[in-house]
Amino acid sequence: MLGAIEAGGTKFICAVANAEGTVIDKVRIDTEAPEVTMGHVFDFFNQYPIESMGIASFGPINVDKNSDKYGYIGNSSKVLWQNYNFLGNLLAHYPNINYQWTTDVNGSVYGEYKAGAAKGKDSCLYLTIGTGIGGGAVINGKLLQTTRHPEMGHIRVVKHPKDADFAGNCPIHGTCLEGLAAGPSILARYGVEGNELSTNHEIWEILADYIGQALVSYAYIMAPDIIIIGGGVSKQAQMLPLIREKFKEYNNDYIDLPDLETYIVPTGLGDDSALVGCLELAKEALEIKE
Ligand code: ZN
């Protein structure tokens, strides 16, 4: 059977599926201390004969197979998980499984590439805008991952004139994309959550401006066939049209693109992108001997 772990900063979703990828059982586990959460993860998978697993984790994570920290969570904002040997603990319990290990956003982009909004495309980019900002990409059918994984949320963008006084919210960089445009930046500016502000509040145009700048950069560097936007902030209905508007303005007709309604799109799989991606990775892992 196939196993999937979508490991997020607030919850883990674990699932088992048959060889075709049909989900047989699924569980949601709160992200607490590693020993507590992983205890529940093992209780769940112990019920099934798992042959292969796809694991997509919050990070930063170590994806360098030649590193002695391969499979570890790095300098995460989830302090209890810093330097936790995630993959090692999993393999200690299930020593005979095949697996693929990647980031949460790579799990999502892979799901969208195989079965969602990017099905049939060769290259795609997935950006989540929620409590943080992160991106994953598939380029010519392969996940973009080397000895490191991309950190698309932490690039620099040009400050919006109406946002000049905001110091930014990223503990590392201050005014990086995540510091300026992730959900918590709204609370930091106004003292209220985004869903308490009206849909025509100026903040949405400011956030869309930052996202639009970033998407133009990603599009120029990676040349994806389609860009998929997920995460809580993107569920605000006014956001996608505003993002497309800003993208159009900053691209200024430089690269020729399809209609932006078909180029910058919402997820095709909703909240299931990463889980579907993990099961696809598990399926492929059956062919790989680690
Ligand atoms: Zn940052």
Side-chain angles (χ1 to χ4, degrees):
M1 294 181 85
L2 306 175
I5 304 179
E6 175 193 353
T10 55
K11 64 176 191 298
F12 277 42
I13 306 285
C14 300
V16 293
N18 64 19
E20 286 74 48
T22 307
V23 173
I24 313 275
D25 196 3
K26 188 168 138 176
V27 69
R28 185 206 138 110
I29 298 163
D30 288 338
T31 308
E32 299 173 66
E35 315 75 63
V36 178
T37 299
M38 292 307 284
H40 294 307
V41 169
F42 298 141
D43 287 346
F44 175 72
F45 285 114
N46 284 346
Q47 307 172 85
Y48 301 97
I50 303 294
E51 297 158 85
S52 174
M53 252 191 219
I55 310 122
S57 176
F58 69 97
I61 60 172
N62 189 315
V63 293
D64 178 3
K65 287 177 183 162
N66 294 317
S67 163
D68 56 4
K69 295 277 183 182
Y70 177 61
Y72 279 63
I73 293 187
N75 191 18
S76 172
S77 57
K78 299 289 291 183
V79 180
L80 293 173
W81 290 77
Q82 282 178 7
N83 211 30
Y84 178 68
N85 185 2
F86 190 155
L87 187 61
N89 275 289
L90 199 64
L91 294 178
H93 272 74
Y94 309 109
N96 298 316
I97 60 163
N98 288 10
Y99 63 89
Q100 292 202 73
W101 158 253
T102 192
T103 62
D104 47 3
V105 280
N106 268 350
S108 295
V109 77
Y110 211 61
E112 291 292 325
Y113 164 70
K114 285 286 185 178
K119 193 174 176 189
K121 310 274 189 199
D122 291 326
S123 300
C124 60
L125 172 79
Y126 170 90
L127 190 76
T128 178
I129 314 159
T131 52
I133 295 182
V138 171
I139 304 296
N140 294 328
K142 293 253 179 260
L143 281 173
L144 180 60
Q145 178 169 291
T146 60
T147 56
R148 292 195 179 81
H149 57 76
E151 285 287 0
M152 297 191 208
H154 295 276
I155 65 167
R156 302 204 74 80
V157 287
V158 176
K159 262 305 198 56
H160 190 287
K162 287 182 185 163
D163 201 29
D165 297 335
F166 181 50
N169 207 34
C170 174
I172 321 278
H173 311 104
T175 57
C176 66
L177 178 66
E178 178 171 298
L180 292 171
S185 77
I186 302 174
L187 187 66
R189 284 184 186 89
Y190 303 105
V192 295
E193 304 276 355
N195 55 20
E196 294 174 65
L197 298 174
S198 73
T199 55
N200 58 9
H201 191 282
E202 70 176 10
I203 187 61
W204 306 115
E205 190 262 330
I206 293 171
L207 299 194
D209 187 280
Y210 295 134
I211 303 292
Q213 291 184 51
L215 293 187
V216 168
S217 296
Y218 306 143
Y220 288 0
I221 293 167
M222 288 184 263
D225 297 321
I226 190 167
I227 295 174
I228 301 151
I229 307 286
V233 174
S234 71
K235 287 181 179 157
Q236 294 274 344
Q238 69 279 13
M239 276 303 278
L240 263 154
L242 283 170
I243 289 168
R244 292 189 191 108
E245 216 172 274
K246 293 290 181 179
F247 184 98
K248 185 174 164 47
E249 181 186 336
Y250 291 122
N251 180 46
N252 199 21
D253 290 330
Y254 180 58
I255 55 168
D256 194 21
L257 290 166
D259 182 352
L260 292 187
E261 297 241 345
T262 64
Y263 183 66
I264 301 174
V265 302
T267 57
L269 301 172
D271 294 331
D272 290 335
S273 315
L275 198 67
V276 171
C278 287
L279 289 173
E280 290 290 341
L281 290 170
K283 219 189 278 178
E284 286 175 15
L286 281 176
E287 318 289 318
I288 302 169
K289 241 335 186 205
E290 290 280 352

